[in-house]
Amino acid sequence: QVQLAESGGGLVQAGGSLRLSCAASGRTFRSYAVGWFRQAPGKEREFVAAVSWSGNVYYTDSVKGRFTISRDNAKNTVHLQMNNLKPEDTALYYCAAQNTYGGGWSSSNLYDDGYWGQGTQVTVSS
């Protein structure tokens, strides 16, 4: 069993930065792929970024060049550094984890039956 807890959300002006963290507890995190998702009111959940167990990364097109995902296995934590934030980035951000050494980590479907956190709100004002 893995418990995930997101932190680092908040209110920021457009062009600003936030660093989200996803802290895992319960089991070793090393073999898990981790994805970040977001959901804005009235919109479908969006797959934003992911990092494989080996450190390979994936980003959706709208955040490429602005967001950076990284992992610190020693601290059982995955970070999402978000720079040059835009009002359209406003959403509830979730992290999800799935135990896999295989492929598929850059596909949102992998995380459907994985572990999920409760989310952290990011609000970007114009």
Side-chain angles (χ1 to χ4, degrees):
Q1 192 77 358
V2 173
Q3 294 81 41
L4 301 178
E6 302 94 338
S7 61
L11 173 63
V12 65
Q13 289 187 333
S17 298
L18 286 173
R19 188 191 194 205
L20 306 185
S21 297
C22 174
S25 61
R27 298 188 67 174
T28 182
F29 207 36
R30 190 174 302 275
S31 63
Y32 283 75
V34 177
W36 282 97
F37 295 76
R38 65 187 180 187
Q39 188 163 21
K43 295 188 176 181
E44 293 188 355
R45 189 176 67 193
E46 181 183 17
F47 184 40
V48 176
V51 58
S52 72
W53 69 272
S54 61
N56 293 321
V57 298
Y58 161 84
Y59 302 99
T60 193
D61 285 346
S62 62
V63 308
K64 284 180 180 176
R66 301 189 298 122
F67 290 12
T68 302
I69 189 170
S70 61
R71 67 187 302 154
D72 184 342
N73 288 334
K75 296 183 178 180
N76 272 9
T77 302
V78 170
H79 300 290
L80 185 67
Q81 177 67 42
M82 306 187 298
N83 298 329
N84 190 21
L85 283 161
K86 304 176 180 180
E88 51 263 42
D89 294 319
T90 295
L92 188 60
Y93 282 71
Y94 300 88
C95 65
Q98 183 64 276
N99 192 356
T100 178
Y101 282 117
W105 58 271
S106 61
S107 171
S108 61
N109 293 337
L110 181 77
Y111 303 91
D112 287 348
D113 61 349
Y115 299 98
W116 288 76
Q118 294 298 308
T120 185
Q121 178 67 37
V122 171
T123 303
V124 184
S125 63
S126 57

